[in-house]
Amino acid sequence: MRQGIILAGGVGTRLWPVSRRQSPKQFQTFLGKKTMLQQTYDRASKLVGKDNVWLVTIKDHQAQTREQLPKLNPTHIIGEPSGRNTAAAICLASQTILATDASAVLAIFPSDHYIGRPKDFHQICKDALAFCDRHRDYLVTLGIEATEPNIGYGYIELGQPIADEKDCFVSVKRFHEKPDLKTARRFVRSGQFLWNSGCFFARAETLNQLFDRHAPQTSAKVREYLKTKNPKIYQSIEGESFDSAVVEKARQRAVMPASVEWSDLGNWEALYQILLAKSDTSNIVVGQHQGINSENSLIIGRHKLIATVGIKDAVIIETDEAILICQRDAVQDVKKLVEKLDELGHDKYL
């Protein structure tokens, strides 16, 4: 049985002040009328069926998840006592599913990514699941064509094509964490690297074996938590990403190159670029704006008129309680700003 897992525990600090602790970016409508979470659920349910979609989020967000996804089986919303990063979340979901479906093949998706070509994405995911049927011990990921030296993404270094799979599936030589700009440029020039999409496919049994082998403490603590429901056990799990805990250590790994107009929507510049591709002007405006000699900017207002004079290459975001103003080339530092606000005790704005 195909089962889909949606990871919805992120906080999206680089999209502050719209993305907040109580309502992070997956619950927001950045693109279209549906939230990022609702769009991800639509893609997952079309792939595996609505009865086979599972979701992992922190317990504080369970009620909001049920409100946004009324068709999702409430028993399939897995609440973490606290966020312990993606390794723990995926381990928790895979062990939960394996207890009910010993033959499950899993499709794992972040809840907050943009897919511009959902039909192509659907077919690629079907092919990836079928690959897991043919190659039962493999962990599969989708790799996105690296069109620019983006330092906000992890990279996948391509190995050799997998026998009898033509060029559709390639072995993974190595996973690389987010590089510096010089390294990213070298990766893109070589043509041997793809962006890591964060989408994974594997048999649940295979995945649990990988956890037992490469992240045994996480695996053991998740099992103990599922037996006892003691939140302190889960909270004691080391906060490690799935990539570093399992993916980078697995031996049988495959990547399927995917051209689906993908973005992890990790910051305001990413949103600007998506909307710019659909616009005939350099200013991307949501809400009321009047400007003179202002260009190449992202301007989002919810209540007030935003007037600009001589503003170029800027991001201006207005919400009920806060206004963000920054240069487009500094959007990665919004996370540092949020951390500073946290240090100063400005919880009401977070």
Side-chain angles (χ1 to χ4, degrees), residues 12 14 22 301 344:
R14 290 186 179 88
Q22 295 305 313
L344 295 173

Side-chain angles (χ1 to χ4, degrees), residues 117 245 283 329:
R117 291 161 54 186
N283 278 334
D329 60 4

Side-chain angles (χ1 to χ4, degrees), residues 261-275:
E261 292 183 17
W262 169 90
S263 171
D264 73 346
L265 203 65
N267 56 49
W268 291 114
E269 176 65 13
L271 179 62
Y272 175 80
Q273 292 297 335
I274 293 170
L275 295 175

Side-chain angles (χ1 to χ4, degrees), residues 272 279 281-285 289 294-299 311:
Y272 175 80
S279 175
T281 65
S282 67
N283 278 334
I284 303 302
V285 178
H289 169 254
S294 298
E295 58 188 29
N296 303 327
S297 295
L298 174 65
I299 301 167
I311 296 296

Side-chain angles (χ1 to χ4, degrees), residues 57-230:
T57 189
I58 60 174
K59 288 191 174 180
D60 288 349
H61 292 156
Q62 283 183 286
Q64 193 170 10
T65 298
R66 288 193 294 269
E67 180 181 342
Q68 289 207 359
L69 302 178
K71 295 182 180 180
L72 176 61
N73 185 339
T75 65
H76 284 197
I77 301 175
I78 304 171
E80 298 178 280
S82 62
R84 306 306 304 144
N85 213 326
T86 52
I90 291 173
C91 188
L92 178 62
S94 64
Q95 288 191 19
T96 300
I97 293 170
L98 192 61
T100 61
D101 183 1
S103 62
V105 183
L106 306 178
I108 303 168
F109 305 113
S111 63
D112 51 7
H113 289 187
Y114 165 75
I115 305 294
R117 291 161 54 186
K119 290 184 179 179
D120 292 342
F121 181 78
H122 177 78
Q123 184 58 54
I124 289 169
C125 291
K126 284 182 64 177
D127 293 343
L129 289 169
F131 178 93
C132 292
D133 288 333
R134 298 191 298 272
H135 304 272
R136 297 170 62 84
D137 295 327
Y138 267 81
L139 176 63
V140 181
T141 186
L142 302 186
I144 308 299
E145 179 187 1
T147 56
E148 61 176 358
N150 194 308
I151 62 173
Y153 297 152
Y155 285 73
I156 302 169
E157 186 174 359
L158 299 175
Q160 297 299 316
I162 294 174
D164 301 324
E165 293 293 343
K166 299 182 180 180
D167 294 329
C168 296
F169 292 91
V170 181
S171 65
V172 175
K173 185 175 182 180
R174 191 176 295 110
F175 284 85
H176 296 262
E177 291 296 322
K178 298 174 182 178
D180 58 31
L181 183 58
K182 181 179 179 180
T183 303
R185 285 172 175 162
R186 177 170 59 83
F187 285 173
V188 174
R189 284 197 304 268
S190 74
Q192 294 301 305
F193 292 82
L194 302 171
W195 288 331
N196 185 356
S197 70
C199 301
F200 297 97
F201 305 83
R203 294 170 61 245
E205 184 179 2
T206 299
L207 198 55
N208 282 341
Q209 290 171 355
L210 290 172
F211 271 108
D212 288 343
R213 184 179 305 129
H214 301 299
Q217 290 187 341
T218 296
S219 185
K221 287 184 177 182
V222 167
R223 286 193 177 91
E224 188 177 359
Y225 168 70
L226 287 172
K227 290 179 181 178
T228 65
K229 298 302 180 181
N230 183 346

